[in-house]
Amino acid sequence: MTVLLTGGAGYIGSHTAAELLAAGYDVIIADNFSNSSPAVLDRLEQIAWKRPKLYNVDVSDKSAFERVFAENKIDSVIHFAGYKSVGESVRVPLNYYRNNIDCTLATLELVDKYSVNSFIFSSSATVYGAENEVPYREDMRVGPCSNPYGWTKLFIEQIIKDFSSAKPEFSAVLLRYFNPVGAHRSGLIGEDPRGIPNNLMPYISKVAVGALPVLKIFGNDYPTRDGTGVRDYIHVIDLAKGHVAAMRFAENNRGTEVFNLGTGKGESVLEMVGAFGNACGRPVPYEFAPRRSGDLPEYYADVRKANEVLGWKAELSVADMCRDAWNWQSRNPNGYEE
Ligand code: NAD
Ligand code: UD1
């Protein structure tokens, strides 16, 4: 069975590729490397002893992307391609609407033309907006989102639902990720953000390896157990396995289903900093700073639906997440750059 990963060279796509290859699937990656490195392909080959087929293509360019469908018999598409920086989406919103929505429309139009009936989409917990109570359940209302990136996820969810309703043989799964962190156990693939990281774990990793001096903790006066923000961090390998489970589910389903992928547990920033210090063998320097605008005090997933319907459960601990993030960071201080 052949699975096409749009954006498959990125952080989550590459780990999903590793899991799919290990499970015996044929993997095709379509990526323009706008936020990733071709070196991922060599690393995947070292991990899996098998190299995914690569198309270096802009997925939003439908006529160029069509070659992938014309040359291969694709059974399922996992659609990762898109931009993902919240702050950047506020600065250049049209780039985000253009790239994220065009990538999705081009992919769906080709999926339609070539009769691919299984489709998985990378959505985000950000679609729950700021007004729901925790833990977030899939049947809660969505929006309003606090930034253009979040809106692209919500609009794309709607586009997929509408397409799915119009095509009875089609099966779509919307996966709402919580906070993916960590890296492959081998240390060969991991998260490699360009420039100064925005997200917590890559920032902590850069401080621990000495590339940045100190972590700023955004707010210590939230109504949480230690005053710092609480999130549901999920190991990227558990997340990747969630995609394999979702794809198997999609094969025997019709219509659109939504699943949260998280652990169901919240950790505070201070707890993550402490766990990372244990993993790397020295404390991570931090200082408190003002709250970051748009941040919520606390959210985590209700994961019962994914546990029961997909038969999938996150298994790796926060200690595993920190060990693997540190292993990746310390073995590759410059990411994929040699
Ligand atoms: P990433 O940036 O590492 O991966 C995205 C990949 O898409 C990159 O390899 C990039 O080069 C590629 N890409 C972007 N635009 C493209 C285009 N027009 N044509 C071809 N390739 C293109 O991001 P990630 O963390 O792996 O996230 C994957 C998906 O999951 C994204 O849709 C993201 O919004 C979503 N998501 C991520 C998180 C997270 O915390 N990382 C959380 C929720 C949802
Ligand atoms: C962010 C995005 C969210 C996106 C997710 C996945 C925002 C407001 N939200 O989630 O839409 O889906 O990434 O990529 O950007 N923190 C610090 N110092 C730092 C960085 C983070 O204290 O240098 C804190 C934050 O305040 C938060 C926690 O760490 O409490 C996690 O932050 P982060 O990793 O950026 O993820 P989210 O904000 O949850």
Side-chain angles (χ1 to χ4, degrees):
M1 185 173 156
T2 302
V3 189
L4 169 62
L5 310 188
T6 74
Y11 172 46
I12 301 168
S14 58
H15 289 81
T16 303
E19 288 307 310
L20 286 167
L21 290 166
Y25 293 95
D26 290 322
V27 174
I28 301 173
I29 289 177
D31 203 301
N32 65 355
F33 302 110
S34 56
N35 196 38
S36 53
S37 162
V40 164
L41 275 295
D42 294 336
R43 302 291 183 93
L44 282 172
E45 193 173 7
Q46 285 180 60
I47 291 171
W49 294 87
K50 197 171 171 198
R51 198 177 176 87
K53 191 167 175 183
L54 170 72
Y55 287 85
N56 182 345
V57 65
D58 183 339
V59 166
S60 70
D61 179 349
K62 188 176 138 193
S63 54
F65 187 29
E66 179 158 6
R67 190 156 79 89
V68 181
F69 289 78
E71 292 178 1
N72 300 280
K73 167 80 191 75
I74 293 161
D75 299 294
S76 183
V77 172
I78 309 185
H79 180 45
F80 298 102
Y83 297 153
K84 65 161 181 179
S85 160
V86 170
E88 191 178 54
S89 82
V90 174
R91 289 192 296 279
V92 285
L94 297 184
N95 291 3
Y96 272 67
Y97 287 115
R98 171 66 73 195
N99 189 55
N100 292 5
I101 292 176
D102 277 3
C103 280
T104 306
L105 290 176
T107 306
L108 286 176
E109 284 168 359
L110 292 167
V111 153
D112 192 21
K113 180 167 173 184
Y114 289 85
S115 302
V116 180
N117 285 326
S118 159
F119 187 86
I120 317 293
F121 173 60
S122 301
S123 190
S124 167
T126 196
V127 301
Y128 288 109
E131 286 151 27
N132 284 304
E133 303 221 327
V134 294
Y136 292 162
R137 269 193 338 271
E138 292 85 347
D139 58 2
M140 285 175 164
R141 67 185 163 180
V142 287
C145 296
S146 58
N147 57 75
Y149 163 74
W151 282 113
T152 70
K153 293 292 170 196
L154 196 47
F155 294 156
I156 291 169
E157 284 200 359
Q158 189 60 44
I159 290 168
I160 295 167
K161 285 180 190 161
D162 291 341
F163 175 66
S164 181
S165 302
K167 206 173 147 76
E169 64 277 28
F170 190 67
S171 172
V173 176
L174 311 179
L175 296 177
R176 293 183 181 152
Y177 310 157
F178 280 67
N179 287 55
V181 297
H184 193 267
R185 187 75 205 259
S186 63
L188 286 165
I189 55 174
E191 187 168 16
D192 183 19
R194 296 198 167 154
I196 295 179
N198 299 306
N199 297 113
L200 181 65
M201 278 293 266
Y203 205 107
I204 295 180
S205 304
K206 293 274 180 205
V207 172
V209 83
L212 291 169
V214 62
L215 170 75
K216 285 192 166 48
I217 296 186
F218 300 140
N220 64 340
D221 57 353
Y222 283 111
T224 58
R225 52 185 174 266
D226 60 21
T228 65
V230 168
R231 296 289 183 273
D232 184 341
Y233 297 93
I234 173 170
H235 197 298
V236 66
I237 292 298
D238 278 331
L239 190 76
K241 289 182 172 158
H243 290 73
V244 181
M247 212 182 62
R248 290 186 173 140
F249 167 83
E251 277 158 35
N252 300 307
N253 194 55
R254 297 288 172 269
T256 306
E257 282 294 336
V258 184
F259 295 98
N260 289 335
L261 293 185
T263 64
K265 292 192 295 279
E267 306 290 328
S268 75
V269 178
L270 278 173
E271 287 162 350
M272 294 304 283
V273 171
F276 205 97
N278 291 339
C280 72
R282 54 184 174 270
V284 177
Y286 66 84
E287 61 193 30
F288 293 119
R291 293 179 179 191
R292 180 173 66 180
S293 122
D295 275 358
L296 295 173
E298 174 169 41
Y299 62 84
Y300 48 92
D302 184 323
V303 289
R304 284 175 297 177
K305 186 175 175 193
N307 293 171
E308 286 160 20
V309 179
L310 298 181
W312 165 91
K313 197 173 191 314
E315 281 165 356
L316 297 167
S317 66
V318 166
D320 296 327
M321 300 174 204
C322 294
R323 176 200 62 209
D324 295 338
W326 174 240
N327 184 39
W328 155 254
Q329 182 67 60
S330 52
R331 289 170 62 130
N332 307 271
N334 301 315
Y336 289 108
E337 251 173 52
E338 288 300 329

